[in-house]
Amino acid sequence: MLLLVFYAVVAAVVAQNDKPTAKSVTPHREQFRVIYEWRSVDFEWESPDDRESYLNTSSYIPKNVLISGINFYGDNLYMTLPRMLNGVPATLAMIPAFQNETTAPKLKPFPSWAQNKLGDCAALQFVQNIEIDRNSIMWILDNGRVGTLTPKPDSKCPPSIVLIDLKTGNNEMERIPLPGDIVNPNTTYLNDLVVDNRDGDYAYITDNSAVDPGIIVFRRSDKKIWKLRDKRSMSSVPEATLFRINGTTVNLPVNVDGIALGPQFRTEDQTIDRTVYYCPLSSYHMYAINASILRNESLGEQGDGALQPYVVDLGTKTSQTDGMKMDSTGILFYGLIGNSTIAEWNTTTDFRTGQRTIARDPNYIQWVDRFTFDDRGNIYVMVNRLFNFVKNQVSIEEVNYRILRSHTGLKSYIYGEDLSPPSGPGHQHGGAAVPTIAASILLLLFSHILV
């Protein structure tokens, strides 16, 4: 009965709002343009002699330094440089976001050279991705294992979550090693994360391990961690493992990879929830699950299959997706690798019909890896030609890494609206009492229409 009432209200609102209102008009969008590009990555060295020494000892091999993740804070862009191959002197670095003097700035290791030292388990070893939450905390995924594209990967240090409070300016690292019985140091691959600043701060992390893929949940308040698995939605599929980009073909059977977090919404029992969206790299499907389900630790203990009743297959994309990012209103941005395309989807619409291409260019958009928003209404896209890197075909005579930017007037999901749950008896949070995802999407649609 309640759902019928919602349907009636939604229909009434839509009927009265055939003409776009000021708030419903899509923000002015600029075309994406290149703001930075590199043939190979160089650094702000402590001295010219240091650079020469690193080169002579093969501690720095320019063509082996890949830019992967990207994030914005305080007028800087932070970039991750995963140590997939040898010769990567730093795994996390920064550049100014608004510098115009050069299109290929040198990267400054962050927090410092010492805190990127290879083999030092107090330092960063292999950073694939980071997120910066609304409290200015940088969440860093450090896999600990280096040389993942070499014949002998080296598990130098335990996989860890590293936290840095950027507000203080001290850049002190708080390292939380992840337990080996949940996160295998020899097989795990901490790939991407979203941060949910509710109820003690949660991170939802994709682990695209080749043998045990899943979503890891970390609660910061008590440093508790658990892992949830669903082979059907988190595993690669044979028909999507082949990638064709500009005449280059690469076979990559990669499991759950991209992840995004939708706005808060009220459930049928008036608690507050959010939707987590994710997809394997080697898949054409997009999946969704409520965050409250992932927060239910007991489902992780039940093993594979426990999530299946709660996972919704939203439909297919025209190509595979690596990174994706949600804005604060529920618009999802993602790449379509085989199509050299950047796409968006308003999550209040049907995924099967609501996807929209916003940029396509076979020369400049070759493997979209990650997105970020700044505080001025811009979205940034990291393009890195990963297919060449994986095949060891990087040529430093060509541009390999680009950062694109477009003004959209939007901001990150991190700064989405906070909803307040009703107080009083019968309104308690819990992982067991959750609606179906269909009802969740309906409620989210209802809330967007009324805004």
Side-chain angles (χ1 to χ4, degrees), residues 222-285:
D222 60 0
K223 309 296 190 294
K224 194 69 184 293
I225 181 172
W226 56 93
K227 185 173 183 178
L228 304 106
R229 302 160 175 88
D230 182 56
K231 288 182 180 178
R232 182 179 63 88
S233 66
M234 298 182 187
S235 300
S236 65
V237 292
E239 60 269 24
T241 61
L242 204 62
F243 295 77
R244 297 182 177 88
I245 306 99
N246 274 21
T248 299
T249 301
V250 60
N251 186 54
L252 286 174
V254 178
N255 297 317
V256 61
D257 186 294
I259 190 167
L261 184 60
Q264 298 178 22
F265 62 88
R266 297 187 190 278
T267 66
E268 291 179 13
D269 63 359
Q270 294 300 299
T271 57
I272 308 303
D273 210 341
R274 304 180 78 166
T275 303
V276 176
Y277 302 88
Y278 65 91
C279 62
L281 174 62
S282 303
S283 171
Y284 298 115
H285 289 253

Side-chain angles (χ1 to χ4, degrees), residues 243-387:
F243 295 77
R244 297 182 177 88
I245 306 99
N246 274 21
T248 299
T249 301
V250 60
N251 186 54
L252 286 174
V254 178
N255 297 317
V256 61
D257 186 294
I259 190 167
L261 184 60
Q264 298 178 22
F265 62 88
R266 297 187 190 278
T267 66
E268 291 179 13
D269 63 359
Q270 294 300 299
T271 57
I272 308 303
D273 210 341
R274 304 180 78 166
T275 303
V276 176
Y277 302 88
Y278 65 91
C279 62
L281 174 62
S282 303
S283 171
Y284 298 115
H285 289 253
M286 184 72 73
Y287 297 96
I289 190 168
N290 283 354
S292 57
I293 296 293
L294 297 179
R295 292 184 179 201
N296 188 342
E297 184 180 353
S298 65
L299 290 176
E301 297 170 352
Q302 295 175 32
D304 183 57
L307 284 187
Q308 196 163 347
Y310 307 102
V311 175
V312 171
D313 185 343
L314 296 173
T316 59
K317 304 174 271 89
T318 57
S319 188
Q320 304 96 324
T321 294
D322 194 340
M324 53 189 186
K325 193 88 168 186
M326 188 76 68
D327 84 337
S328 61
T329 68
I331 297 176
L332 181 67
F333 294 84
Y334 54 100
L336 296 171
I337 295 171
N339 298 344
S340 300
T341 293
I342 300 169
E344 70 174 19
W345 166 52
N346 185 327
T347 55
T348 63
T349 67
D350 189 324
F351 183 71
R352 293 165 295 182
T353 58
Q355 300 177 64
R356 177 172 170 259
T357 295
I358 57 175
R360 175 180 289 142
D361 192 304
N363 294 316
Y364 288 92
I365 305 177
Q366 295 184 29
W367 202 290
V368 171
D369 201 325
R370 292 295 179 271
F371 296 83
T372 193
F373 294 89
D374 66 17
D375 56 4
R376 304 183 186 186
N378 297 308
I379 187 171
Y380 298 75
V381 185
M382 186 69 240
V383 180
N384 63 10
R385 304 179 85 190
L386 182 63
F387 55 95

Side-chain angles (χ1 to χ4, degrees), residues 41 43 188 272 307 339 373 406 417:
V41 174
F43 296 89
T188 194
I272 308 303
L307 284 187
N339 298 344
F373 294 89
S406 170
E417 180 185 3

Side-chain angles (χ1 to χ4, degrees), residues 151-216:
K152 294 183 178 181
D154 187 356
S155 300
K156 289 188 175 297
C157 303
S160 303
I161 293 173
V162 180
L163 304 175
I164 299 177
D165 187 345
L166 298 177
K167 295 191 304 294
T168 68
N170 297 326
N171 298 331
E172 295 180 356
M173 299 195 302
E174 177 188 4
R175 179 177 296 274
I176 302 102
L178 305 181
D181 59 332
I182 297 176
V183 182
N184 188 317
N186 297 314
T187 61
T188 194
Y189 196 107
L190 305 177
N191 183 75
D192 204 356
L193 78 160
V194 289
V195 176
D196 190 351
N197 285 128
R198 298 179 297 146
D199 310 326
D201 295 344
Y202 285 76
Y204 313 122
I205 303 163
T206 54
D207 177 1
N208 62 27
S209 163
V211 298
D212 183 29
I215 293 179
I216 294 169

Side-chain angles (χ1 to χ4, degrees), residues 14-149:
V14 170
Q16 296 173 13
N17 289 277
D18 290 335
K19 296 181 180 180
T21 64
K23 287 187 177 180
S24 65
V25 174
T26 301
H28 172 67
R29 304 288 182 86
E30 293 181 351
Q31 288 187 338
F32 283 93
R33 62 187 183 90
V34 178
I35 60 167
Y36 291 126
E37 61 182 22
W38 297 262
R39 295 182 179 185
S40 63
V41 174
D42 204 351
F43 296 89
E44 292 185 8
W45 299 91
E46 294 181 314
S47 72
D49 288 344
D50 275 356
R51 185 180 190 275
E52 194 67 22
S53 175
Y54 271 75
L55 283 170
N56 291 338
T57 59
S58 295
S59 299
Y60 170 43
I61 304 173
K63 72 182 185 68
N64 287 359
V65 183
L66 171 80
I67 306 175
S68 180
I70 184 172
N71 220 294
F72 173 89
Y73 180 82
D75 291 345
N76 292 312
L77 291 173
Y78 294 85
M79 296 182 291
T80 67
L81 315 165
R83 285 176 164 134
M84 298 182 186
L85 297 173
N86 299 323
V88 182
T91 187
L92 180 60
M94 59 186 285
I95 59 172
F98 306 108
Q99 176 175 301
N100 295 314
E101 289 82 1
T102 175
T103 58
K106 294 181 178 180
L107 277 59
K108 181 179 181 180
F110 182 83
S112 66
W113 277 107
Q115 289 167 308
N116 277 269
K117 185 178 179 182
L118 184 64
D120 180 356
C121 291
L124 301 172
Q125 298 302 298
F126 185 113
V127 179
Q128 180 74 30
N129 269 301
I130 62 173
E131 182 59 285
I132 300 170
D133 72 14
R134 64 170 59 190
N135 300 315
S136 303
I137 303 298
M138 177 183 284
W139 300 61
I140 303 170
L141 299 180
D142 188 351
N143 277 283
R145 189 173 72 259
V146 302
T148 53
L149 288 181

Side-chain angles (χ1 to χ4, degrees), residues 263-265 277 347-348 439-449:
Q264 298 178 22
F265 62 88
Y277 302 88
T347 55
T348 63
S440 303
I441 292 174
L442 175 63
L443 290 170
L444 182 59
L445 172 61
F446 176 69
S447 67
H448 272 258
I449 291 174

